[in-house]
Amino acid sequence: MRIAVPREIRDGEKRVALVPDVINKLTRLGYEVVIEAGAGVHSQATDDLYTAAGATVKSGNVISDADVVLSVTSLTPAQMGSLKKGAVTISFLSPVTGTDSIDAAASAGVTAFSLELVPRISRAQSMDALTSQALCAGYRAALVGAELSPRFFPMLMTAAGTVTPAQVLVLGAGVAGLQAIATARRLGGVVSAYDVRPSSADEVKSMGATFINLELEALEGAGGYAREMTEERAAKQRELLTPYIAKSHLVITTAAVPGRTAPRLMTAKMVDAMEAGTIIVDLAAETGGNVEGSKPGEIVVTAKGVQIWGGKDVPSQLPFHASSLYSRNVVNLLTLMTTPSKDGAPVSLNIDFTDEIIDKSATTHGGAKHTPGASEKGGAK
């Protein structure tokens, strides 16, 4: 059974699906691991390190004869079409926007797993790549805000007088938001945070930040995610948040609803309420933006002098640790469906759709799109 890891071809993508440290976990199961030459160059994973770890490094196409293909971003429709029938892919598939690749996988008879769809249950925590990559994004967001800000973050007592600390507001207290809070606190900022889920208040307070309670209806969704709100509630929320935003020196927005356009948390009017020189970091810019006017991969400066940093490929800006965490997520998911080599029998895959994790994260199987809950059970490959 051969696992192949191709170079990422999406512009700006610096992560790699497997790092050398995890290769032995797969070879011990009985897999052969093939890495395309140069795949890990941005993650400090050289070809020599892969070879020393027990992988084979090859130039050119490494996926056409692979049994399992691991990548960070989705394979293109052409790449999906080049795979052999029955092959398995694991990646971020973007089920909402990546329909072309999913259709191609179904047509090619490929079983494609999307890491966005891994259920948020305790047994799947080690496979939750959304969480591990959000951790990287939240950390990066606070660093970007501190770098762009013309202010010190901590309070400083100097002979020339006291430097007051930066006021930081984090909107959205999921994994990315909590990491942004923790990092901003370490930098010395005074941090407050808001989330539509009141249950996140204790987590925010445990990080040393102040939780903002707007006394609105809770929007707790399935799997710990926030659910969508009505426009009426969104307008009321924006109205109540405006005074907090106006007094902030840095606002970091992290709100997202899986499979949906990012909720609009800040309008242009709210941005204009901020002082010149203040910073907004919008981690949701690629999915529509939490902030009106944000653009992925760009810094937009308003007429009033507020800078809006639009996030693009944010976890990829920390490719070393983002790749390391992602690799472990992928290996744990693959191990779940692996029957190891034993007593002379080769390693095999058992795509068991009675397992909730496998069932919910699969998008295609057997030449068709997969519908979770069908309770079918695949045999060993």
Side-chain angles (χ1 to χ4, degrees), residues 10-15 137 140 144 281-287 294-299 309-318:
R10 176 183 172 183
D11 288 343
E13 183 54 70
K14 297 181 179 180
R15 293 170 290 180
R140 177 67 177 149
V144 167
V281 174
D282 185 355
L283 286 182
E286 287 185 287
T287 55
S294 71
K295 296 180 180 180
E298 297 184 27
I299 298 176
W309 185 87
K312 183 179 181 182
D313 300 318
V314 180
S316 189
Q317 296 173 22
L318 296 165

Side-chain angles (χ1 to χ4, degrees), residues 69-144:
V69 178
L70 306 178
S71 61
V72 180
T73 57
S74 172
L75 299 181
T76 65
Q79 287 176 311
M80 286 290 192
S82 73
L83 300 181
K84 65 183 184 182
K85 186 176 182 180
V88 169
T89 69
I90 300 176
S91 68
F92 283 125
L93 262 178
S94 302
V96 176
T97 59
T99 53
D100 288 348
S101 290
I102 293 173
D103 289 343
S107 298
V110 170
T111 299
F113 290 91
S114 177
L115 289 164
E116 292 98 333
L117 302 178
V118 170
R120 279 200 161 178
I121 58 177
S122 58
R123 191 166 60 88
Q125 285 181 348
S126 66
M127 311 166 202
D128 188 352
L130 279 180
T131 291
S132 72
Q133 302 308 291
L135 186 80
C136 299
Y139 174 80
R140 177 67 177 149
L143 297 184
V144 167

Side-chain angles (χ1 to χ4, degrees), residues 77-260:
Q79 287 176 311
M80 286 290 192
S82 73
L83 300 181
K84 65 183 184 182
K85 186 176 182 180
V88 169
T89 69
I90 300 176
S91 68
F92 283 125
L93 262 178
S94 302
V96 176
T97 59
T99 53
D100 288 348
S101 290
I102 293 173
D103 289 343
S107 298
V110 170
T111 299
F113 290 91
S114 177
L115 289 164
E116 292 98 333
L117 302 178
V118 170
R120 279 200 161 178
I121 58 177
S122 58
R123 191 166 60 88
Q125 285 181 348
S126 66
M127 311 166 202
D128 188 352
L130 279 180
T131 291
S132 72
Q133 302 308 291
L135 186 80
C136 299
Y139 174 80
R140 177 67 177 149
L143 297 184
V144 167
E147 182 180 4
L148 292 177
S149 178
R151 310 176 64 93
F152 278 117
F153 259 46
M155 182 176 73
L156 300 175
M157 306 293 289
T158 77
T162 300
V163 175
T164 57
Q167 300 292 321
V168 181
L169 173 61
V170 178
L171 300 180
V175 174
L178 291 172
Q179 187 55 223
I181 290 168
T183 305
R185 285 278 297 147
R186 293 187 194 105
L187 293 171
V190 176
V191 186
S192 56
Y194 171 74
D195 196 284
V196 296
R197 303 159 300 167
S199 60
S200 63
D202 289 340
E203 293 175 302
V204 168
K205 293 173 184 176
S206 73
M207 296 289 184
T210 300
F211 185 78
I212 297 171
N213 188 350
L214 301 182
E215 298 185 357
L216 295 171
E217 171 199 2
L219 293 177
E220 200 85 41
Y225 291 106
R227 59 183 171 87
E228 281 195 295
M229 68 182 79
T230 63
E231 180 51 39
E232 180 182 359
R233 188 200 183 284
K236 184 64 176 176
Q237 175 179 290
R238 290 192 289 263
E239 176 188 344
L240 295 175
L241 279 175
T242 297
Y244 296 97
I245 289 169
K247 67 180 183 181
S248 299
H249 303 123
L250 167 64
V251 176
I252 298 172
T253 68
T254 70
V257 179
R260 305 279 186 174

Side-chain angles (χ1 to χ4, degrees), residues 12-47:
E13 183 54 70
K14 297 181 179 180
R15 293 170 290 180
V16 65
L18 288 182
V19 296
D21 288 350
V22 302
I23 299 297
N24 67 337
K25 296 179 183 293
L26 298 171
T27 54
R28 283 204 304 262
L29 293 172
Y31 287 110
E32 175 192 358
V33 181
V34 179
I35 309 290
E36 183 177 349
V41 63
H42 297 296
S43 302
Q44 296 176 260
T46 64
D47 293 346

Side-chain angles (χ1 to χ4, degrees), residues 206-360:
S206 73
M207 296 289 184
T210 300
F211 185 78
I212 297 171
N213 188 350
L214 301 182
E215 298 185 357
L216 295 171
E217 171 199 2
L219 293 177
E220 200 85 41
Y225 291 106
R227 59 183 171 87
E228 281 195 295
M229 68 182 79
T230 63
E231 180 51 39
E232 180 182 359
R233 188 200 183 284
K236 184 64 176 176
Q237 175 179 290
R238 290 192 289 263
E239 176 188 344
L240 295 175
L241 279 175
T242 297
Y244 296 97
I245 289 169
K247 67 180 183 181
S248 299
H249 303 123
L250 167 64
V251 176
I252 298 172
T253 68
T254 70
V257 179
R260 305 279 186 174
T261 301
R264 182 55 49 84
L265 302 181
M266 293 179 61
T267 62
K269 182 178 179 181
M270 296 166 75
V271 173
D272 285 341
M274 300 179 72
E275 295 179 357
T278 52
I279 309 298
I280 301 170
V281 174
D282 185 355
L283 286 182
E286 287 185 287
T287 55
N290 294 145
V291 182
E292 185 176 354
S294 71
K295 296 180 180 180
E298 297 184 27
I299 298 176
V300 175
V301 182
T302 70
K304 195 172 179 181
V306 176
Q307 295 186 65
I308 308 172
W309 185 87
K312 183 179 181 182
D313 300 318
V314 180
S316 189
Q317 296 173 22
L318 296 165
F320 179 84
H321 279 116
S323 297
S324 179
L325 294 170
Y326 182 86
S327 294
R328 284 157 177 76
N329 298 141
V330 170
V331 168
N332 289 330
L333 179 57
L334 181 58
T335 301
L336 177 67
M337 60 184 86
T338 296
T339 302
S341 172
K342 188 176 181 182
D343 298 330
V347 63
S348 61
L349 285 173
N350 184 35
I351 312 299
D352 182 1
F353 289 113
T354 64
D355 186 297
E356 180 183 4
I357 298 171
I358 294 173
D359 183 46
K360 289 189 175 180

